[in-house]
Amino acid sequence: MIKQNVERLLRELPDGVLLEGAAKSRSAEEIDEAVKAGLAIIGENYVQEAEKVIPEIERDVRWHFIGHLQKNKVKKAVRIFDTIETIDSLELAEEIDKACLRLDKDMTVYIEINSGREKQKFGVFPEHAESLIRDVSKLKKLRIEGLMTIGPLSGASERARAYFRETKNIFDSIKELNVKNVSMKYLSMGMSGTYKVAIEEGANIVRLGAILFGKR
Ligand SMILES: *Cc1c(COP(=O)(O)O)cnc(C)c1O
């Protein structure tokens, strides 16, 4: 089933929209099936889980971190991930930069936008995105290449549209600023229930879990 799901999504997504498999709690076997079917980007929410599955996947795929990164996991995360999608504070970015300097590794990062302005959730509020991006852009080893948002999870997919649209507006306005070290290439938004709306609003990476791997 996973194979068919990945193949179908890869066929259905418009040109230029990348498929990321959100693989939390999935086994290496499940991820491998998806990768063999053509999935090229894997999103993981937990460093420990990723550490277990990454060595098991032999093909060359990109590993993205999409969870909340705790300070004490930064060193490991920097070693195993290609992209960290969830930068939402200068403190976290500085911690990552330090770890990257030690390993002499450049890290691609996205800024996570709390598009629903939900106090209990992670991500920078829309109105603080620009100043965070300007600060992070000055760090040595980080390259900001996009934005990521989750948005409020409850309700119909149409409800998500306004949050995706606001994130796309930030994406466009940051692009116009031409900040050094910042290139707005990727807009990661949309999950199984909302990816169609997200694509209509400009997403070019969709993070899909249930629709690829089945319900958890
Ligand atoms: C789980 C998860 C997804 C995928 O959600 P589905 O509804 O299973 O498609 C996407 N992004 C993040 C950050 C997630 O944690």
Side-chain angles (χ1 to χ4, degrees):
M1 260 334 255
I2 294 174
K3 176 175 188 280
Q4 284 83 343
N5 294 340
V6 171
E7 288 173 351
R8 180 172 55 80
L9 261 303
L10 286 174
R11 252 195 330 269
E12 283 176 9
L13 293 179
D15 281 348
V17 177
L18 301 176
L19 177 62
E20 173 171 350
K24 57 180 174 287
S25 82
R26 310 298 176 170
S27 68
E29 289 71 29
E30 292 173 292
I31 296 170
D32 201 48
E33 185 179 342
V35 167
K36 283 186 176 136
L39 184 67
I41 307 173
I42 316 289
E44 286 284 356
N45 294 64
Y46 303 102
V47 174
Q48 257 167 322
E49 243 183 76
E51 270 188 303
K52 290 204 189 97
V53 294
I54 288 175
E56 307 279 322
I57 308 297
E58 283 166 13
R59 289 177 198 228
D60 194 21
V61 294
R62 312 293 295 168
W63 293 91
H64 285 207
F65 186 76
I66 58 173
H68 174 63
L69 188 52
Q70 290 165 316
K71 255 190 169 182
N72 61 349
K73 298 279 165 54
V74 164
K75 273 189 213 163
K76 270 184 187 159
V78 161
R79 228 173 279 134
I80 63 180
F81 286 100
D82 301 297
T83 297
I84 297 174
E85 295 197 17
T86 49
I87 303 297
D88 64 356
S89 74
L90 182 59
E91 292 72 23
L92 175 60
E94 284 172 341
E95 209 58 41
I96 294 170
D97 192 50
K98 257 193 267 168
C100 286
L101 280 167
R102 272 189 227 109
L103 291 177
D104 195 24
K105 176 175 178 174
D106 292 321
M107 180 62 74
T108 301
V109 300
Y110 306 162
I111 303 296
E112 180 179 0
I113 307 293
N114 185 343
S115 54
R117 294 185 174 76
E118 297 169 286
K119 286 228 165 62
Q120 72 282 14
K121 296 264 182 75
F122 299 109
V124 62
F125 276 26
E127 54 273 31
H128 300 136
E130 183 185 332
S131 77
L132 176 62
I133 287 168
R134 287 191 186 280
D135 288 343
V136 173
S137 76
K138 292 172 191 139
L139 299 176
K140 290 200 175 67
K141 301 301 253 178
L142 271 52
R143 304 284 170 265
I144 302 174
E145 293 200 348
L147 304 181
M148 178 270 210
T149 196
I150 298 176
L153 292 176
S154 59
S157 66
E158 257 324 299
R159 237 199 102 215
R161 188 180 294 279
Y163 305 105
F164 294 152
R165 186 166 294 178
E166 177 157 20
T167 307
K168 173 65 157 65
N169 286 340
I170 300 168
F171 183 85
D172 289 339
S173 64
I174 299 293
K175 197 184 255 185
E176 282 188 8
L177 295 174
N178 285 316
V179 182
K180 201 174 154 223
N181 265 333
V182 177
S183 52
M184 284 289 117
K185 281 196 256 184
Y186 299 109
L187 184 52
S188 169
M189 54 187 198
M191 312 186 2
S192 293
T194 56
Y195 72 97
K196 290 183 180 163
V197 172
I199 291 168
E200 285 169 8
E201 296 302 329
N204 60 11
I205 299 183
V206 291
R207 305 180 311 272
L208 305 185
I211 204 172
L212 295 184
F213 295 105
K215 286 246 181 322
R216 289 190 304 139

